[in-house]
Amino acid sequence: MPPPAAPMRALLNALPKAPVRSCQRLMSTSRRPTSPSVTKAQQAQPLQPFTQRRFKFKTVEEAKSRYRSGPFSWKAGLLFVGTGAGLLWYFEFEKGRMQRKRIADAAKGVGRPKVGGPFELIDQNGKTVTDADLKGRYSLVYFGFSHCPDICPEELDKMARMYDLVQAERPGVMLPVFVTCDPARDTPAVLKEYLSEFHPDFIGLTGTYDQVKAMCKAYRVYFSTPTEVKPGQDYLVDHSIYFYLMDPEGDFVEALGRQHSPDQAAKVILDHMKDWKGPLRIAR
Amino acid sequence: MGLFGIFSSGSDEGDKRAQEVRTGAVAPLRAERQKCWEARDGYFACLDANGIVDALKDEKKAAKACKSEAADFERDCAAQWVTYFKKWRVQDIQKKARLKELEAQGANKMDISTDFTERK
């Protein structure tokens, strides 16, 4: 409604000017005798922006509606919800990151139980592999034996799925390692045949009984081969059934167990990889 | 000889391999494990049907009730595995009973599964 708006605005503009002007005159007269030029300059444009900001509505209806709804408009609501959601996401993200950092750092530094360490074993192709060969990449280490009746083959299938999931997102950043607890029977040739059925990328490690024992001790893996086994006699080996996630410096990060599905385990591994700031030696 | 010779030598090989698997001379491969697990499940189903928990303790009863299943089980699995699975069955049944008991008492269940079924 333009016609009533124009006189209205003129009225409103004029309204606050009068008291301001008289106030100024009062102040200036009390200080010193006025010089008319100064007062004129002050009168020319006193507090013009203030009046414009205060009455920014074109109509009274607009002002009234604004007054009724208060400061809550759909824009304000959207901003509120957006900010809240953003903060919530950020806090959750940071919380998860700190939790992972705590787990990863628990095995680092002085005075921590050391899992992992130097070893020297041979892989399924007869090549010597040491701890230095695993550095620069994450490694997922699993202990087992080829004559294992149920758990190891299941877990190795799981490990293959886990490895594929990790490989899909971060190719070449993790090495899947299988260490036998039964070096007497699991020669490189046996491991080669056994592991080829699970994943072509698996690295199978074996060695002398003492080498394997040292490896298991370093990784705090329990295993027991029955004593007094006659040559050619069949036996089973009792052993721990965790996947050990080791970081690129060869430090233990986290143990993944039977309670993790391959997807859950892959997520845990990928999240740790995201947190890693150190150098990586990516294969292939 | 000829074609017949090849066939007979092939089945001899298979017998030899099966024999080696049974005695534990070689580690069973995927197909052999699968076959063994199937035979095991068949045997356990028979034990369930006959209400036998410990096949080692109730040996005579189990042998009488599940004669053919037992023969399959022993044919397809390494001897060590047969014993292991029989022991495992007793423990598993005890564990399930204990869990049921605890659940009845209002214990919280944690997501840990140790059965043979694959989880996604």
Side-chain angles (χ1 to χ4, degrees):
Chain A
M1 287 177 285
M8 186 73 77
R9 205 185 314 153
L11 189 81
L12 290 174
N13 281 348
L15 203 70
K17 269 182 201 159
V20 168
R21 207 181 297 142
S22 57
C23 181
Q24 276 167 350
R25 200 176 295 135
L26 203 81
M27 274 169 71
S28 50
T29 43
S30 68
R31 276 269 173 83
R32 59 190 149 102
T34 56
S35 87
S37 66
V38 173
T39 25
K40 230 171 222 165
Q42 279 174 340
Q43 279 167 16
Q45 34 181 281
L47 300 170
Q48 197 68 12
F50 171 76
T51 49
Q52 272 176 352
R53 251 215 337 263
R54 178 77 173 80
F55 302 102
K56 64 178 177 184
F57 307 109
K58 286 197 177 73
T59 62
V60 176
E61 281 82 0
E62 201 179 308
K64 272 186 179 166
S65 89
R66 165 77 177 161
Y67 180 72
R68 258 201 306 278
S69 66
F72 301 107
S73 67
W74 65 270
K75 275 184 198 156
L78 214 65
L79 188 71
F80 176 76
V81 171
T83 313
L87 281 175
L88 195 71
W89 174 84
Y90 177 73
F91 284 131
E92 284 299 311
F93 172 80
E94 274 297 298
K95 202 171 117 194
R97 199 180 65 82
M98 290 311 287
Q99 254 164 6
R100 286 197 302 275
K101 193 166 149 38
R102 209 162 36 238
I103 291 168
D105 284 352
K108 288 226 183 244
V110 187
R112 304 289 183 191
K114 183 83 182 156
V115 177
F119 65 85
E120 192 183 325
L121 296 164
I122 50 171
D123 70 5
Q124 69 264 51
N125 300 313
K127 208 179 106 239
T128 303
V129 174
T130 67
D131 50 310
D133 294 309
L134 301 188
K135 293 210 176 129
R137 261 164 276 174
Y138 275 87
S139 47
L140 190 66
V141 185
Y142 185 71
F143 293 80
F145 66 112
S146 67
H147 284 255
C148 181
D150 47 16
I151 295 164
C152 329
E154 267 185 17
E155 293 295 274
L156 282 174
D157 274 332
K158 206 170 105 175
M159 184 164 159
R161 284 211 296 278
M162 242 149 88
Y163 174 67
D164 282 336
L165 288 169
V166 173
Q167 196 72 353
E169 292 221 1
R170 302 288 301 270
V173 179
M174 187 174 79
L175 289 173
V177 181
F178 175 83
V179 183
T180 181
C181 298
D182 186 13
R185 286 187 297 187
D186 289 347
T187 59
V190 170
L191 282 185
K192 193 169 185 164
E193 189 185 23
Y194 181 67
L195 291 177
S196 67
E197 284 198 316
F198 293 98
H199 203 291
D201 289 358
F202 278 5
I203 300 167
L205 298 181
T206 182
T208 65
Y209 179 79
D210 288 332
Q211 281 173 327
V212 168
K213 200 176 171 191
M215 175 78 173
C216 289
K217 201 178 167 198
Y219 278 76
R220 304 289 189 265
V221 168
Y222 157 82
F223 83 109
S224 88
T225 323
T227 49
E228 296 167 33
V229 177
K230 293 183 204 81
Q233 193 189 332
D234 194 13
Y235 58 89
L236 301 179
V237 182
D238 211 359
H239 64 89
S240 314
I241 48 162
Y242 281 107
F243 298 102
Y244 293 79
L245 181 66
M246 313 299 288
D247 75 12
E249 282 167 1
D251 286 318
F252 169 73
V253 180
E254 197 166 348
L256 300 161
R258 300 266 286 161
Q259 73 273 25
H260 293 93
S261 76
D263 300 78
Q264 286 169 333
K267 197 189 169 303
V268 169
I269 295 168
L270 286 168
D271 283 347
H272 278 300
M273 283 180 176
K274 269 177 217 147
D275 296 340
W276 181 256
K277 299 281 183 283
L280 282 172
R281 191 167 53 125
I282 295 169
R284 284 178 290 273
Chain B
M1 276 298 273
L3 199 66
F4 185 73
I6 294 164
F7 272 126
S8 70
S9 81
S11 87
D12 277 354
E13 284 276 296
D15 281 353
K16 194 173 156 254
R17 170 85 196 173
Q19 184 64 29
E20 281 175 343
V21 167
R22 263 198 296 280
T23 58
V26 295
L29 292 176
R30 187 182 289 276
E32 289 155 346
R33 282 195 302 268
Q34 199 55 47
K35 212 171 153 194
C36 165
W37 292 347
E38 275 161 23
R40 172 202 67 194
D41 292 343
Y43 181 64
F44 283 180
C46 174
L47 291 183
D48 283 342
N50 288 281
I52 300 165
V53 173
D54 195 339
L56 292 171
K57 219 165 70 186
D58 301 329
E59 211 178 334
K60 279 186 187 142
K61 201 179 158 196
K64 215 176 124 193
C66 306
K67 203 165 175 230
S68 73
E69 285 89 346
D72 287 350
F73 188 26
E74 270 154 40
R75 186 197 62 216
D76 292 339
C77 294
Q80 279 287 324
W81 289 26
V82 171
T83 322
Y84 166 81
F85 283 134
K86 282 176 181 172
K87 285 182 190 164
W88 177 88
R89 177 181 155 85
V90 178
Q91 283 182 3
D92 189 53
I93 288 171
Q94 284 172 352
K95 193 184 82 188
K96 277 179 184 154
R98 179 91 185 108
L99 277 177
K100 215 174 202 174
E101 205 179 296
L102 283 171
E103 226 160 80
Q105 290 169 9
N108 289 324
K109 192 171 166 24
M110 285 178 73
D111 181 29
I112 294 172
S113 156
T114 51
D115 57 13
F116 292 124
T117 51
E118 242 176 63
R119 279 166 297 141
K120 294 278 166 341

